[in-house]
Amino acid sequence: LDQIAIQDGPKAAFQCLKAWIGTNGVTLLRERRRTCVQALPANEWMLVVDLQFEAAGEDVTFGQTPFGLFAVRMAKSIGVRDGGGTIRNSEGGVNEAGVFRKPARWMDYSGPVAPGVTNGITLLDHPANPNHPTVFHVRDDGWMGSCLTYDAPRTVAKGTPLRLRYALYVHDGAPAADALERCWQNFSRTTLIDFAENAKKR
């Protein structure tokens, strides 16, 4: 199972249909994924990922775990432990001690990428996600991810897809918290992709 569609223009998008297959060769889940990249001023950019999981037969359960379905590994120089980076979240937490496995609307990881040059990534959690504001699994070693099933397992029932939307804001410098909050507010007003409607258009 492998269907791919590519869209070019002001926003470049890549959409695919994949299958999660069990050890017995039976398809358990169908995953629809759309990745959209938009260039922003000042050489910054936004990457938005829409995910839809559909049970192929019986209900499927994602087990309880502090790890999730969307994460990013920062460059070593950006890490708090190995570089000169800083972690911040929407609730005012700083670095692993202040943000680890705590709920937030967004999480930012910024630090040096070259002498005198600071860049970073903000991971944005959409309010339509079922566990918003998500718990983040973030470490001083550069790991940053959202935790979909931190507090409990999550079941994808037959006929009821699980829909998720996340974004990565790749930015210059280390923006102030109020600027990152405005970025999240803009993202929060976006709507989840209707994969069925997209299929009709193709």
Side-chain angles (χ1 to χ4, degrees):
L1 183 63
D2 194 343
Q3 299 175 10
I4 296 174
I6 299 174
Q7 171 189 337
D8 200 0
K11 295 181 180 180
F14 177 88
Q15 184 169 315
C16 61
L17 172 62
K18 298 290 186 178
W20 290 45
I21 300 173
T23 56
N24 59 359
V26 174
T27 297
L28 305 175
L29 281 173
R30 292 187 178 89
E31 176 190 336
R32 301 181 191 274
R33 176 182 298 222
R34 184 175 187 269
T35 302
C36 180
V37 180
Q38 179 182 7
L40 302 175
N43 292 320
E44 297 183 334
W45 51 282
M46 182 79 76
L47 185 149
V48 179
V49 176
D50 283 277
L51 298 166
Q52 179 167 299
F53 295 95
E54 306 160 5
E58 300 294 325
D59 294 355
V60 176
T61 298
F62 290 105
Q64 184 175 4
T65 173
F67 295 95
L69 295 168
F70 194 78
V72 59
R73 169 72 75 176
M74 306 303 293
K76 192 171 183 178
S77 65
I78 295 177
V80 175
R81 181 181 303 167
D82 300 311
T86 302
I87 310 168
R88 296 170 291 155
N89 72 6
S90 60
E91 310 311 297
V94 176
N95 292 343
E96 184 176 326
V99 305
F100 182 63
R101 295 186 183 176
K102 295 183 179 179
R105 297 181 298 282
W106 52 263
M107 187 74 62
D108 181 77
Y109 216 132
S110 299
V113 295
V117 180
T118 294
N119 291 147
I121 296 176
T122 310
L123 198 164
L124 309 170
D125 182 51
H126 197 278
N129 290 342
N131 66 327
H132 179 81
T134 188
V135 168
F136 282 89
H137 186 92
V138 190
R139 294 286 198 180
D140 285 346
D141 66 3
W143 178 263
M144 175 171 64
S146 61
C147 306
L148 179 68
T149 55
Y150 173 72
D151 54 347
R154 189 167 298 279
T155 297
V156 182
K158 178 69 174 177
T160 307
L162 170 62
R163 301 175 70 188
L164 304 166
R165 169 171 273 208
Y166 301 100
L168 297 176
Y169 168 43
V170 182
H171 56 74
D172 185 35
D178 58 350
L180 295 177
E181 180 63 21
R182 287 194 298 272
C183 180
W184 179 84
Q185 290 287 348
N186 290 335
F187 175 63
S188 74
R189 291 189 284 269
T190 64
T191 56
L192 275 63
I193 290 296
D194 185 334
F195 284 96
E197 187 62 28
N198 271 14
K200 291 177 185 177
K201 291 178 182 178
R202 294 200 304 272

